[in-house]
Each structure stands twice: as C-alpha cells, then as structure tokens.
Amino acid sequence: MTTGTVFWYASRATGVVSLVLFSVVAILGIMVNRQGRLPGLPRFAVTGLHRSLSLLTLAFLGTHIVTAIADGYAHIPWLSTIVPFTSGYERFWIGLGTVAIDLMAAVIVTSLLRTRLSPALWRAVHWLAYVCYPVVVVHSLGANKDLRSGWLLALTMATVFSVLTAIGYRILAAAATVPRPARVPRQLVRADRTGSLR
Amino acid sequence: MTSGAQASATGRQASLEGTVQPGATVQPEATVQPGATVLPRLLSASGRPADLAEHLRVHGRLLYRGGARMLIHSIESAGLTGRGGAAFPTHRKLTAVADQLGVPVVVGNGAEGEPASDKDKTLLWSSPHLVLDGLQLAAEAVGARRVHLYLHREPALVRHLESALAGRAAAGLDRLQVGLVTAPARFLAGEESALASRVGGGAALPRFTPPRVFEHGVDGAPTLVQNVETLAQLGLISRYGPAWFRAVGTEAEPGSMLTTIRLADGSGGVAEAAIGTPISQLLKLDRYPARAVLVGGYHGAWLSPEQAGRLTLSNADLRPLGAAAGAGVLAALPVDRCGLVESARVVRYLALESAGQCGPCLNGLPRIAASLNQLAQRRSTPADRDDVQRWSALVERRGACHHPDGTVRFLRSALAVFTDEVTLHEAGRCSARSPEPFLPIPAGSPAREEDWS
Ligand SMILES: Cc1cc2nc3c(=O)[nH]c(=O)nc-3n(C[C@H](O)[C@H](O)[C@H](O)COP(=O)(O)O)c2cc1C
Ligand code: SF4
C-alpha cells in the first residue's frame, strides 16, 4: 500500500463512518425534540449524547476531508473545503460534500453559541440539518461508487431508512400535539364527559 | 369598572352609610394633614379623577430623596406591605432588589387579573399621579434606570394613563420615562414571573422559579414588581411620613387598604378602609345578611357568616382560618344563592385560566372542576367528595406558580363552609332559591397563544 492509497482508503472509510454517525445524530436530535428517552438513561442524557456524537462526527469528517485532499490522486484544492463546486475531480459530487460542510458548520457554530443567540435564530439554523442530511447521502452515493452495491449499499439504505422513520415519527407526533392554550379546555371536556371520576 | 365615579370612600370610624354605592360622592374635599386619620387617602376625595393640577394642589410635587435606598428606611418604619395579595414587607423587597449586582428594572403591577377585584383599575383611574409618583420614587430607591407600568388592557384606562404621563412630562416631574405595557385579561397575568415575561416582550405566562424575579426578571435584570396601590402608598409615605401612615390600621398591619366590596344586595364598589375594620361593617352584614363571605378573591377563602361577623379585615384575624386579606376582595353571598354552584363556577374558571404548562395543574384542575360541578349539579355521591380532596392534595405545591395552591385553598374552604349544602346536594336537593349567578366570571377562556399577550 502506498502513501497515496492509505489516504484514499482512510478518506473513504471515515466518510462512511461519518455518514452513519450523522444518521445517529439526526435520530437522537429528533428524540431530543420530542423529549424522548433511551432505556436506562435520564432525559438529559439523550441531549448529551446528541451533542457529543455530533462533535465525534465532526472529528471523522475532518479526517475525511483532510485525507481526501492529501490524497494526491484526486487533486482536490483546499478551496473546495469551503467553496462548493471548485474541485476539478468529481466537481458535482465533491461540491455537494462542500455544501454539506457549510450547512453543518452553520448548525454547529450556532449550537456552540446557543446561550448567546435568540432561541428563534438557533432553531431556524438548526432546521438546516434536515437539508444537510439528504445532501450528505447524495454526496456519498455519488462520490463513492463502493456504496452502490454489496453490504455498503445495505448499510447506507439501513441508515437512511432509520432517519426517514424518525422524521415520520416526528411529523406524526407533532400533528398529535395539542397547542398549549387548548390543552386545559380539552382536559376539562374529557373530565366532564367521564362525569363521576371513578 | 373604570369610572372614577365608582370609586367611593370610607370613613374610618364612620358607619359607612352609603359608602359603597356606585356613583356615591361621600366625603367633602379634604386635604390630607399629617397625622390625619381621614380616609380616603389614596382615592381622590372629590370622587372625580385627580388630574395633575389637583394632584399637585393636594399633595405637592414629589420629593426625590437624592440617592438610592434613602427612602427605604421610612418605608420600613411605616411598615408598608405589598397590596398585590401577599402582604410582603415592601422595604425588604426594595432592599433585596437594590442589593443585586445588575441595574434593576421597576414595574408597577396594575394587571388586576382577579375578576372580583376592581381596586387597581379604580385607583389608576382616580389617582394616577400618586401611582406614578410612587413608581419614580421606587426606581430611585433601588437605583433603576428603566420603569414600566403594566396595566389591565382596557383602552380607556390606557389612554387615561398616557395623558397623565404626557402631563407629567410637560411639567418635568419624571426623571425616568415610564413605558406602558398592557396585560392580557388573564387571571395569571399579574403573577410576577408572567409579568416579567410580558414586559420583556413575551407572553404573560408564569415561568419556573427560581431564579426569582427580583434576581432575574425583565430581560434578565433584577426586577422590582410592586402593586400599583403599594406604589401609591409609597408616594404618600414619602410626603407625609411613617407616623402619618400608621395613624390608621393596626399596630401589626398599619395603614389603609383598598377593598372591592360586593354587598349581598348586589350593590358594591371600591372603598378604602383602615386595616382592622370589622368585616361585618364593610359588608353591612346586619342590614344585608349573607349566606357566606368570600375574602381575598378567587385564590382566597369562604367564611361562614358567624366567622365573618367576628373578624376584622386583617391578616392577624384571617390567617388562622387559612384566609387572607389578599388584594382586598370582600363579597357577601346573598342568602338565596348556592355556595356550591358559585364555587363550581369559580373553580371551572380557574381551571380554564391555568397556563397548562405543568402536569398537575393541566390534569388536576380540570378533574377537580368537573367533580365539583357534579356536586353542584346534585349528581354526585360522597365518594366524589373524596375524589376532590384526593386530587387537591395531588396538585398542591406541584405547579411552577401558586395557581394550583390558590385554587385548592378556595375549594377546600367551600367544602368546609358549605358542608351542610354538600350533604343536601348528595341527597339530590339544594337550599338555594335563586339560580342567578352572583360572583363575576369573565366571558371567554383563553384558546389561542395570542390570548396570553
Ligand atoms: C396567580 C397570581 C396572580 C397575581 N396577580 C396579581 C395582580 O393581578 N396584580 C398584582 O399586583 N399582583 C398580583 N400577584 C402578586 C404578584 O406576583 C406580586 O407579588 C405583586 O405584584 C408584588 O407587589 P406587592 O408586593 O406590592 O404586592 C399575583 C400573584 C399570583 C400568584
Ligand atoms: S402551576 Fe399551572 S398556572 Fe402555574 S405555571 Fe404551572 S400550569 Fe401554569
């Protein structure tokens, strides 16, 4: 294995791990939003896990990017880490990866500064994670042909399916939520209907 | 009720003849002298709203003390307590806010969310300048640079205050410009954390404490929240001194307080009374007998006519019975009404006014209200009574704010005072002859987020 192929394989491997981690972070984020719990963990632990895994994803992503550029074969300029569609090699697929990095940076920076930002601004930027995820998936499938067959394809499908399931759950749960001002009247109607309460 | 004409005055030793009839003009114009025991002190003696010229003629300009904390000692000697319901010593709150690190915000609380109370609206209508003097003095005492007046959302009242503020600006009386903030007509709107949220631009919803509002209130600043009557009293004490203030009232609870009175004959109004005045005198119980007396409003308590007959309007008398003078609501339930029907209406209203943020309040109060309604409608069994008691114990002290506790206090006093009626109802009967509602319940419960701001 030459130095070149080490970078090549490292980049591919960390890319796949990042995709899987990002999927887990997304699912945990939805759980935090719905105030869900994991068995045996207090509620705040889910928030903590969401946060630490997103930083871990960042570490893998950093390696993925650095090794991809350091790999002499692909010729990706450093500029491509922030400006999309500037890579000569696989311009479109790599460009999508850059778009994902920019979106992710916005989400992470606003989260780190969360206590100093208005909750509305933080929330608005955090919605970008839902845009970022499909971009990441398309980038992965486009840039890495290994993902299109065999067990890597199965892995990719499984992670995407899990995230879609979680999003579906979030939509259904949000639709079933009674707006705060309507909660008490609803409870009162229920209590009246049951009449004597025993 | 916003008309100043509804405000009437009460002589301390006078027999209170005709004092609480709406529209009554009572006392001749009187300038308050130091040491005087003449009431009213707070409400305009003429019965008409005191405009700036009259205010200055009667009381003179407000006297700034020239530095923070200088007024606090007089307030302590006077023994002034908060008139918003909790009767907390005002000098302690002033000191606590002045001791905080940040620059404080001062808010005058004129939300008057309590439907049975009209005294703050009447005071703001009758003597806006006393309140506004108090606001400036409180701000000086705690070193604030931002002041607000939070008042019941009622266009005529807001305009009245706007013009009062404009007059003061022209006369150069105010050191700090006062921002007016309107309170939604919600029962909880005047609770201090709801107030802080509303003044900061949010909805008037209580929030979880601590930190308390005096540490972390409007926009995170230490915040002094003081009832408008407390501020008006401060405006008077700053001029006439503690000894004058103590010339009426009791040793432990000095001064006068505004009361909203509902007599058993259906008439009523706002009257200023010395603390320690017999309740039977204020409600004219010998002339208009009552089935029961409600003191302190919808977070207050019912008293039997016998209890009311021997007690005075003071916490020393009322607290041992689990009641309190609160914000000065006194209502005599006519003998032909049913106390359980009235209480069920009130508890239902209180349940619907819950902000629905805390589980026990959200789930418990509606159940209690429904059970009590069963009882009022004569469709219940003794087991329902146990249910109400059990649920009450479950919600007590479990909310972010005092709402469940206040509701439970009201309800328990109803079951205790109307215990004979409970037995009758469980047997399918009711002793009341009139189905007509007595206590005021506002129409319309909150249904949308906007109803809270
Ligand atoms: C449920 C609830 C409602 C309240 N509503 C009012 C109100 O409408 N007006 C008011 O002045 N205080 C109200 N208070 C009391 C305030 O929280 C606060 O203690 C008061 O304004 C302080 O002023 P004071 O010390 O001058 O009484 C309410 C308290 C509670 C718990
Ligand atoms: S206790 Fe009730 S009224 Fe108070 S904050 Fe909680 S839900 Fe709202």
XYZ file of all heavy atoms in Angstrom, chain B residues 188 205-208 353-359 361-362 365 398-404, ligand 2:
171
model
N -53.842 34.926 35.519
C -52.440 34.819 35.934
C -51.573 35.964 35.437
O -50.382 36.003 35.732
C -51.839 33.514 35.402
C -52.467 32.231 35.907
C -51.975 31.068 35.083
C -52.132 32.029 37.365
N -46.979 34.370 30.625
C -47.047 33.030 31.201
C -46.089 32.941 32.379
O -44.951 33.408 32.276
C -46.630 31.994 30.160
C -47.596 31.795 28.996
C -46.949 30.956 27.910
C -48.869 31.134 29.501
N -46.532 32.323 33.477
C -45.610 32.152 34.599
C -44.453 31.256 34.168
O -44.618 30.400 33.301
C -46.456 31.427 35.657
C -47.866 31.598 35.233
C -47.850 31.751 33.751
N -43.297 31.466 34.749
C -42.196 30.564 34.431
C -41.704 29.927 35.722
O -42.097 30.307 36.815
C -41.074 31.300 33.706
C -40.393 32.339 34.532
C -38.916 32.416 34.326
N -38.413 33.073 35.516
C -37.866 34.281 35.511
N -37.703 34.930 34.396
N -37.468 34.806 36.642
N -40.854 28.944 35.530
C -40.397 28.205 36.692
C -39.409 29.040 37.476
O -38.510 29.641 36.914
C -39.764 26.883 36.257
C -40.778 25.929 35.732
C -41.228 26.024 34.432
C -41.326 24.980 36.562
C -42.198 25.164 33.948
C -42.292 24.112 36.094
C -42.729 24.204 34.777
N -58.197 28.964 33.317
C -57.173 30.009 33.292
C -55.780 29.450 33.565
O -54.794 30.183 33.518
C -57.492 31.113 34.298
C -58.646 32.021 33.867
C -58.297 32.908 32.676
O -57.160 33.404 32.604
O -59.160 33.098 31.802
N -55.680 28.166 33.886
C -54.352 27.562 34.061
C -53.577 27.712 32.765
O -54.135 27.601 31.676
C -54.496 26.078 34.388
O -53.351 25.376 33.950
N -52.292 27.972 32.908
C -51.491 28.140 31.705
C -51.238 26.796 31.019
O -50.695 26.753 29.933
C -50.171 28.820 32.058
N -51.607 25.701 31.677
C -51.443 24.388 31.055
C -49.996 24.001 30.838
O -49.679 23.278 29.903
N -49.114 24.499 31.673
C -47.682 24.203 31.487
C -47.207 23.076 32.390
O -46.233 22.410 32.071
C -46.829 25.439 31.811
C -47.188 26.657 31.011
C -46.233 27.799 31.259
O -45.512 28.200 30.382
N -46.217 28.323 32.476
N -47.837 22.907 33.544
C -47.380 21.898 34.489
C -48.413 20.778 34.562
O -49.620 21.050 34.628
C -47.220 22.491 35.885
S -46.425 24.085 35.868
N -47.926 19.543 34.575
C -48.823 18.395 34.586
C -49.919 18.453 35.635
O -51.099 18.329 35.309
N -51.297 20.832 37.248
C -52.258 21.908 37.008
C -53.108 21.570 35.788
O -54.324 21.722 35.784
C -51.470 23.194 36.788
S -52.413 24.693 36.909
N -52.454 21.071 34.751
C -53.124 20.749 33.488
C -54.110 19.601 33.657
O -55.212 19.621 33.117
C -52.053 20.410 32.445
C -52.484 19.759 31.137
C -53.401 20.679 30.360
C -51.265 19.430 30.298
N -56.533 20.272 37.805
C -57.572 21.278 37.990
C -58.844 20.964 37.184
O -59.948 21.092 37.715
C -57.052 22.690 37.675
C -55.950 23.236 38.579
C -55.743 24.727 38.335
C -56.236 22.985 40.048
N -47.430 21.694 43.473
C -46.780 20.971 42.393
C -46.687 21.807 41.133
O -46.227 21.317 40.104
C -47.555 19.679 42.089
C -47.597 18.693 43.246
C -46.367 17.821 43.300
N -46.118 17.160 42.029
C -46.776 16.080 41.616
N -47.676 15.529 42.366
N -46.489 15.551 40.449
N -47.121 23.061 41.178
C -47.057 23.890 39.979
C -45.849 24.806 39.997
O -45.200 24.983 41.031
N -45.562 25.389 38.828
C -44.480 26.372 38.772
C -44.906 27.629 39.504
O -44.092 28.350 40.060
C -44.145 26.693 37.328
N -46.199 27.910 39.502
C -46.673 29.091 40.213
C -47.669 28.665 41.281
O -47.937 27.491 41.484
C -47.266 30.105 39.232
S -48.921 29.689 38.671
N -48.258 29.656 41.905
C -49.110 29.467 43.065
C -50.548 29.083 42.675
O -51.380 28.840 43.534
C -49.072 30.819 43.811
C -49.838 30.879 45.054
N -49.458 30.211 46.185
C -50.993 31.528 45.360
C -50.345 30.468 47.140
N -51.275 31.260 46.658
N -50.827 28.983 41.367
C -52.208 28.816 40.914
C -52.903 27.568 41.471
O -54.025 27.677 41.985
C -52.247 28.836 39.381
C -53.618 28.904 38.805
N -54.546 29.833 39.203
C -54.244 28.150 37.858
C -55.675 29.643 38.524
N -55.509 28.633 37.714
N -52.265 26.392 41.402
C -52.956 25.227 41.970
C -53.216 25.391 43.473
O -54.296 25.040 43.945
C -51.976 24.074 41.716
C -51.040 24.546 40.671
C -50.980 26.032 40.776
S -48.908 25.868 38.017
Fe -50.492 25.963 36.479
S -50.821 28.092 36.139
Fe -48.886 27.928 37.238
S -47.348 27.832 35.643
Fe -47.894 25.744 36.061
S -49.538 25.279 34.604
Fe -49.299 27.468 34.665
